[in-house]
């Protein structure tokens, strides 16, 4: 069958889903309420269902009062029971797969249960909806005349006690429907390779001669791959290698610090960038229009959403609210109840709503990744915006960064200390430092107040990282690969001190 015909048929099939989306767009809170009752009914005879008497829960208020909000540590004993082969603990259908994730903060691995329902009705459904929305917005797309270059994690799948664990991307690739496998590159064999450097070389070898029309992956790691491809082919931009490229589907970290770098290697005015918000726990939101910075919250993926206002998070005033009670432009911690058996689970992300009809969000950071040592309430969204602004003003390009507080000692005021690795250095690092500090004040009024006349905070301290510092730091921690992320912000100095020690050690050896 000719490729244009395949492209037309695939587009037609995927765009049929638009009509289904109209239900949750029109009746979002009703769809969420019905979904909660379905989850409770499905799991009423599980161990956790009997413990909290799911069968007698008739409304959200009872659910919220009876079932506690949980962290991974709270749920770990039940998850471990299932990993050891016991079933019907927190979800009735057999749980075979566990997405292994250490996030960006904990050295200890987490094993997130992935049910068959979560695979089909959430993760794969989200992937298809991403294509559906993109194609609906771009009628002339030739996406399926070529392949999508995918970059997943670098961990293979491992079996233990008749269960399988590994990166979520590896689980998804291992269970991928045939049509998705046919339209993707590299092969599953290469995608599932464990050693990062060997994997990069194999991806380059398999993909350079393909007709790649899109690519998908985390911006930081995808840039590493794309730079490697250009180095080995001797090309100056990606369109010389793949002239039919039309879209990059990205997620995992903010795209703002990397936008200019991608535009430089993709000199095509109508090239599209589409963002998603997903994690091991589920697929949550999708950019639903071209050139948008908002993500449509997907409400029919088997996930019931609740939110904790960040101004009460972790305090004795903490409160949890349903979707129907959220407000615009406030930061919320996300709480999930899922068709993978996570009940009122704090995923660790923070979001703010940019629209209430329909519900659209921006990911603003992590509950553990913010700085509030001096009352400045600095979020990752703030630092990403400030970095982008400072780069624009100085012509610099940033690969990675992390920030930590300098604590007050005696009469010495506090400050924020940054380590920044540049792919294109500013001509004047001191000017970059000034622009960055001013940009932070422009995007965060609390930081501005603390910086006023250096009343509480001194001007930020900037350390310029040597090349590959962050890469080598991740390598030391066995965290190389497409799913691992640099911790951007922290209320303590552990990551920053480790990076400074590594930089100092290298300078002594030089």
């Amino acid at each position: 069958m000719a490729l244009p015909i395949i492209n037309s048929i695939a587009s037609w099939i995927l765009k049929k889903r638009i009509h289904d989306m109209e239900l949750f767009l029109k009746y979002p809170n009703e769809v969420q309420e019905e979904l909660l009752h379905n989850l409770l009914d499905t799991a009423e005879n599980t161990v956790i269902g009997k413990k909290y008497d799911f069968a007698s829960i008739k409304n959200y208020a009872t659910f919220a009062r009876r079932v506690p909000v949980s962290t991974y540590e709270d749920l770990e004993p039940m998850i471990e029971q299932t990993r050891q082969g016991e079933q019907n603990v927190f979800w009735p259908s057999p749980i075979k797969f566990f997405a292994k994730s250490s996030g960006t903060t904990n050295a200890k691995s987490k094993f997130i249960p992935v049910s068959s329902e979560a695979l089909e009705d959430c993760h794969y459904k989200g992937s298809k909806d991403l294509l559906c929305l993109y194609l609906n917005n771009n009628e002339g797309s030739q996406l399926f005349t070529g392949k999508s270059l995918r970059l997943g994690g670098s961990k293979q799948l491992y079996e233990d006690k008749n269960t399988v664990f590994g990166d979520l991307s590896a689980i998804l690739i291992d269970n991928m429907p045939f049509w998705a496998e046919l339209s993707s590159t590299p092969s599953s064999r290469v995608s599932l390779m464990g050693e990062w450097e060997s994997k990069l070389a194999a991806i380059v070898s398999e993909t350079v001669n393909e007709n790649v029309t899109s690519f998908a992956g985390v911006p930081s790691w995808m840039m590493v791959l794309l730079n490697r491809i250009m180095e080995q082919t001797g090309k100056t931009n990606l369109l010389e290698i793949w002239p039919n490229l039309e879209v990059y589907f990205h997620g995992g970290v903010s795209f703002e610090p990397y936008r200019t770098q991608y535009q430089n290697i993709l000199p095509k005015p109508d090239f599209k960038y589409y963002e998603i918000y997903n994690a091991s726990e589920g697929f949550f939101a999708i950019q639903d229009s071209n050139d948008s910075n908002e993500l449509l919250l997907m409400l029919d993926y088997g996930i019931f959403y609740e939110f904790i206002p960040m101004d009460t998070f972790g305090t004795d005033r903490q409160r949890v609210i349903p979707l129907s009670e959220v407000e615009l432009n406030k930061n919320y911690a996300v709480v999930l109840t899922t068709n993978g058996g996570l009940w009122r689970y704090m995923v660790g992300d923070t979001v703010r709503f940019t629209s209430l009809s329909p519900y659209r969000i921006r990911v603003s950071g992590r509950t553990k990744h913010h700085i509030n040592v001096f009352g400045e309430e600095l979020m990752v969204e703030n630092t990403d915006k400030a970095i982008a602004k400072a780069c624009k003003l100085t012509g610099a390009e940033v690969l990675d960064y992390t920030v930590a507080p300098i604590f007050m000692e005696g009469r010495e005021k506090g400050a924020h200390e940054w380590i920044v690795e540049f792919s294109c250095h500013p001509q004047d690092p001191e000017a970059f430092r000034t622009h960055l500090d001013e940009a932070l004040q422009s995007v965060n009024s609390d930081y501005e107040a603390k910086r006023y006349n250096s009343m509480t905070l001194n001007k930020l301290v900037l350390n310029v990282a040597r090349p590959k510092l962050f890469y080598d730091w991740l390598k030391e921690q066995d965290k190389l690969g497409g799913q691992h992320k640099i911790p951007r912000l922290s209320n303590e100095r552990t990551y920053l001190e480790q990076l400074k020690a590594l930089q100092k050690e290298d300078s002594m050896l030089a």
Side-chain angles (χ1 to χ4, degrees):
M1 190 181 295
L3 287 177
I5 297 175
I6 294 175
N7 187 74
S8 297
I9 293 173
S11 298
W12 177 75
I13 292 171
L14 285 165
K15 285 193 287 188
K16 288 176 68 178
R17 163 73 174 143
I18 290 291
H19 300 294
D20 297 332
M21 292 183 195
E22 290 173 355
L23 180 64
F24 76 74
L25 289 172
K26 191 172 183 180
Y27 304 106
N29 300 314
E30 292 83 352
V31 166
Q32 277 280 282
E33 185 177 358
E34 182 180 358
L35 192 153
L36 174 61
H37 288 297
N38 288 340
L39 291 171
L40 291 167
D41 290 345
T42 301
E44 66 180 26
N45 291 317
T46 61
V47 171
I48 196 170
K50 291 177 179 177
K51 178 179 180 180
Y52 296 113
D53 192 14
F54 284 179
S56 70
I57 296 177
K58 303 303 180 186
N59 53 50
Y60 169 72
T62 305
F63 171 72
R65 186 169 59 251
R66 189 178 298 174
V67 182
V69 172
S70 302
T71 63
Y72 180 81
E73 288 70 26
D74 296 325
L75 299 180
E76 185 180 28
M78 289 190 298
I79 291 174
E80 192 57 31
Q81 280 179 262
T82 305
R83 287 194 66 218
Q84 297 300 318
E86 188 175 341
Q87 295 293 345
N88 202 43
V89 178
F90 45 79
W91 191 249
S93 62
I95 305 287
K96 178 183 179 183
F97 295 101
F98 293 84
K100 184 180 179 184
S101 169
S102 58
T104 48
T105 55
N106 295 332
K108 182 180 179 180
S109 293
K110 298 179 181 179
F111 295 90
I112 305 300
V114 182
S115 66
S116 57
E117 292 89 346
L119 273 177
E120 293 299 328
D121 300 333
C122 185
H123 291 291
Y124 289 138
K125 189 174 182 179
S127 298
K128 287 186 282 188
D129 281 355
L130 171 63
L131 297 174
C132 165
L133 288 165
Y134 173 75
L135 292 168
N136 191 61
N137 294 331
N138 298 279
E139 290 292 339
S141 170
Q142 297 297 304
L143 197 67
F144 289 103
T145 61
K147 294 188 175 184
S148 177
L149 193 167
R150 62 191 179 193
L151 180 61
S154 59
K155 295 290 186 184
Q156 293 177 308
L157 296 173
Y158 302 92
E159 291 198 24
D160 183 38
K161 310 288 186 182
N162 295 316
T163 60
V164 178
F165 64 93
D167 277 4
L168 175 68
S169 57
I171 293 171
L172 295 178
I173 290 169
D174 194 52
N175 292 276
M176 187 175 286
F178 78 93
W179 61 267
E181 176 64 26
L182 290 174
S183 62
S184 301
T185 188
S187 63
S188 292
R189 178 189 65 82
V190 169
S191 294
L192 293 174
M193 287 175 66
E195 203 281 310
W196 174 247
E197 290 292 341
S198 301
K199 178 176 179 173
L200 273 186
I203 292 175
V204 174
S205 176
E206 280 202 5
T207 59
V208 289
N209 294 317
E210 293 279 9
N211 175 27
V212 174
T213 53
S214 68
F215 46 97
V218 176
S220 51
W221 290 106
M222 181 62 76
M223 182 57 70
V224 172
L225 170 63
L226 298 178
N227 282 331
R228 179 72 63 89
I229 288 172
M230 288 191 295
E231 286 170 13
Q232 295 200 10
T233 59
K235 305 298 184 183
T236 58
N237 70 68
L238 295 177
L239 299 176
E240 296 175 4
I241 305 167
W242 301 305
N244 298 317
L245 273 174
E246 60 177 82
V247 61
Y248 173 29
F249 301 113
H250 62 87
V253 299
S254 170
F255 189 59
E256 286 310 307
Y258 304 98
R259 186 177 296 278
T260 300
Q261 297 173 61
Y262 277 91
Q263 290 172 342
N264 288 341
I265 61 175
L266 286 160
K268 185 178 182 180
D270 60 346
F271 188 84
K272 302 294 190 299
Y273 299 90
Y274 262 63
E275 185 175 353
I276 63 170
Y277 170 30
N278 69 338
S280 298
E281 292 85 355
F283 201 123
F284 312 129
I286 302 171
Q287 178 182 324
D288 63 323
S289 61
N290 292 338
D291 306 315
S292 172
N293 65 351
E294 301 176 323
L295 306 179
L296 179 68
L297 192 63
M298 308 303 286
L299 303 178
D300 63 349
Y301 286 3
I303 297 175
F304 179 75
Y305 291 98
E306 296 173 270
F307 303 91
I308 303 174
M310 283 302 290
D311 56 6
T312 68
F313 181 83
T315 72
D316 55 7
R317 298 180 294 108
Q318 178 171 297
R319 60 193 183 96
V320 187
I321 60 175
L323 182 63
S324 59
E325 295 181 21
V326 300
E327 300 174 31
L328 287 175
N329 298 316
K330 290 185 66 172
N331 282 309
Y332 295 98
V334 182
V335 178
L336 309 171
T337 293
T338 77
N339 55 4
L342 299 176
W343 296 93
R344 306 197 81 199
Y345 175 83
M346 288 195 293
V347 71
D349 292 331
T350 61
V351 302
R352 61 179 175 84
F353 283 83
T354 57
S355 167
L356 302 182
S357 183
Y359 288 106
R360 290 196 178 97
I361 61 170
R362 292 293 300 156
V363 181
S364 56
R366 299 277 294 169
T367 54
K368 293 184 179 179
H369 286 194
H370 65 284
I371 299 180
N372 192 32
V373 173
F374 311 101
E376 65 273 51
E377 289 287 356
L378 198 68
M379 307 292 290
V380 174
E381 184 180 38
N382 301 148
T383 53
D384 281 340
K385 283 182 178 178
I387 279 275
K389 191 170 183 178
C391 284
K392 186 174 182 179
L393 291 170
T394 61
E397 293 179 0
V398 168
L399 276 177
D400 270 312
Y401 72 89
T402 195
V403 191
I406 298 174
F407 297 102
M408 295 178 178
E409 289 189 15
R411 295 186 178 181
E412 187 62 33
K413 295 169 184 174
H416 290 174
E417 184 170 5
W418 291 61
I419 296 183
V420 180
E421 183 177 341
F422 295 96
S423 56
C424 179
H425 284 254
Q427 287 188 343
D428 183 352
E430 182 58 29
F432 181 90
R433 175 188 174 217
T434 298
H435 286 308
L436 180 58
D437 193 71
E438 291 173 350
L440 282 171
Q441 294 179 57
S442 72
V443 299
N444 185 306
S445 58
D446 290 320
Y447 181 80
E448 181 184 33
K450 302 302 180 292
R451 282 285 296 119
Y452 180 71
N453 288 335
S454 298
M455 189 177 301
T456 304
L457 289 176
N458 287 324
K459 188 175 181 179
L460 65 85
V461 174
L462 176 66
N463 299 286
V464 177
R466 54 92 170 158
K468 293 187 69 177
L469 177 68
F470 286 91
Y471 184 95
D472 291 341
W473 179 71
L474 287 171
K475 189 173 184 178
E476 274 194 353
Q477 316 212 14
D478 193 28
K479 287 193 173 186
L480 286 181
Q483 301 302 299
H484 295 297
K485 306 161 198 170
I486 298 296
R488 298 298 196 203
L489 307 180
S490 177
N491 271 327
E492 42 92 358
R493 293 179 58 85
T494 302
Y495 309 121
L496 187 132
E497 293 294 352
Q498 289 174 353
L499 285 156
K500 288 179 70 175
L502 184 59
Q503 175 136 314
K504 182 178 180 181
E505 177 185 311
D506 293 332
S507 65
M508 293 173 64
L509 292 173

